[in-house]
Amino acid sequence: CALPISPKRQKADVDELKSEDPLDVYMQAVKEKTENELRKFVAAGGLPSSFVAQSNLGPARAKDGEVDSDEEVYAAERAADARLACLYDSDGELDMSAVEEIRKQGVAPLPPVDHSTTEYMEFNKDFYEEHEEIAKMSDAQVNEIRQQIGVKASGASVPKPIVSFAHLGFDEPIMKVIRKMEFEKPTPIQCQALPAALSGRDIIGIAKTGSGKTAAYMWPMLVHIMDQPELSKHDGPIGLV
């Protein structure tokens, strides 16, 4: 006769069934990442023209005035999904051999752009007004601060580092975001990068993961974006991360 199974053992068996194999979880994450990257690659038009012709699937384009921009985005997404269809096998799994074959074909180069034929609107790049406390700092004080926070900076007329968000003159909406992110004071990379980015300077910032590099780029980017006219239909991106 069958022996009764204890409730504790039954619970253990159920928990075991519910638990997921770490390897399966990892492989699923890799698959999703690969598919997302490939989807972005295709949606951006990164496939060779021969592949697009072979698949008989071009980008979806709606006639002006017939649909709004959201519907155009959805149409483009459907076209991207269709172009992806031939990259999957009968089981719905990503066929890496098909992906590799496309990579071997290369990507058609973009046509050259003659900027002299385009009249670009002028825009402001410098939004940084040096705080009086920062302006009063001597070169020796600036060097001392950089040594204290472990920052090295080089270039022409590098802005002095700030030591407080109050030195930046951010408006209240951005300050709310900073407080929500629980930043009490700028991180070392932010102390030096924020004044430079708000000044419209080109920056190469090198720091460890979690040092606040992305925020040091994003906050000035928002300031630049908000100063420019609102995007119109068919305009490209105004910021890139």
Side-chain angles (χ1 to χ4, degrees):
C1 62
L3 296 175
I5 301 176
S6 68
K8 185 176 181 180
R9 176 59 187 274
Q10 287 180 334
K11 182 178 185 302
D13 291 342
V14 170
D15 291 341
E16 184 177 351
L17 288 173
K18 287 183 177 180
S19 63
E20 295 182 276
D21 186 344
L23 180 59
D24 290 340
V25 174
Y26 172 76
M27 294 305 297
Q28 180 64 26
V30 171
K31 176 187 174 184
E32 291 176 357
K33 181 179 179 181
T34 302
E35 291 180 353
N36 288 337
E37 290 178 351
L38 185 59
R39 186 179 299 277
K40 293 176 183 178
F41 180 68
V42 175
L47 288 176
S49 57
S50 58
F51 169 73
V52 177
Q54 177 186 354
S55 62
N56 256 346
L57 296 166
R61 298 189 180 278
K63 295 182 180 179
D64 293 341
E66 292 185 3
V67 294
D68 60 26
S69 58
D70 287 343
E71 290 176 346
E72 289 180 355
V73 170
Y74 298 145
E77 179 66 18
R78 288 193 294 271
D81 289 341
R83 291 200 295 271
L84 282 170
C86 65
L87 300 178
Y88 291 85
D89 58 24
S90 57
D91 296 326
E93 298 292 330
L94 187 63
D95 185 351
M96 295 309 297
S97 61
V99 175
E100 185 61 29
E101 185 62 30
I102 293 171
R103 287 177 177 169
K104 289 179 181 179
Q105 296 178 28
V107 179
L110 294 173
V113 177
D114 184 1
H115 294 283
S116 64
T117 61
T118 303
E119 184 177 351
Y120 294 103
M121 180 181 63
E122 293 186 3
F123 61 94
N124 182 25
K125 294 197 300 181
D126 188 356
F127 299 91
Y128 181 61
E129 184 175 345
E130 194 173 61
H131 193 278
E132 58 180 1
E133 293 179 0
I134 302 300
K136 291 178 181 178
M137 288 197 306
S138 64
D139 291 342
Q141 290 174 318
V142 169
N143 292 333
E144 182 180 357
I145 290 176
R146 285 179 178 150
Q147 289 178 359
Q148 289 175 351
I149 62 178
V151 166
K152 295 181 180 179
S154 61
S157 302
V158 178
K160 299 175 182 178
I162 51 98
V163 295
S164 169
F165 289 117
H167 293 150
L168 296 169
F170 280 148
D171 58 16
E172 185 56 24
I174 293 183
M175 288 305 301
K176 283 184 178 179
V177 171
I178 292 174
R179 287 192 290 267
K180 185 176 181 180
M181 296 175 70
E182 299 183 350
F183 279 98
E184 295 181 359
K185 62 180 181 179
T187 64
I189 185 69
Q190 292 169 359
C191 287
Q192 185 61 75
L194 286 170
L198 287 169
S199 300
R201 299 288 299 275
D202 294 330
I203 307 171
I204 297 178
I206 303 174
K208 292 182 179 179
T209 300
S211 60
K213 295 189 302 295
T214 304
Y217 169 77
M218 289 288 293
W219 296 331
M221 184 185 75
L222 293 175
V223 174
H224 282 264
I225 289 174
M226 296 305 295
D227 188 67
Q228 297 189 36
E230 185 176 349
L231 290 177
S232 301
K233 189 176 181 180
H234 302 307
D235 283 348
I238 197 171
L240 180 64
V241 180

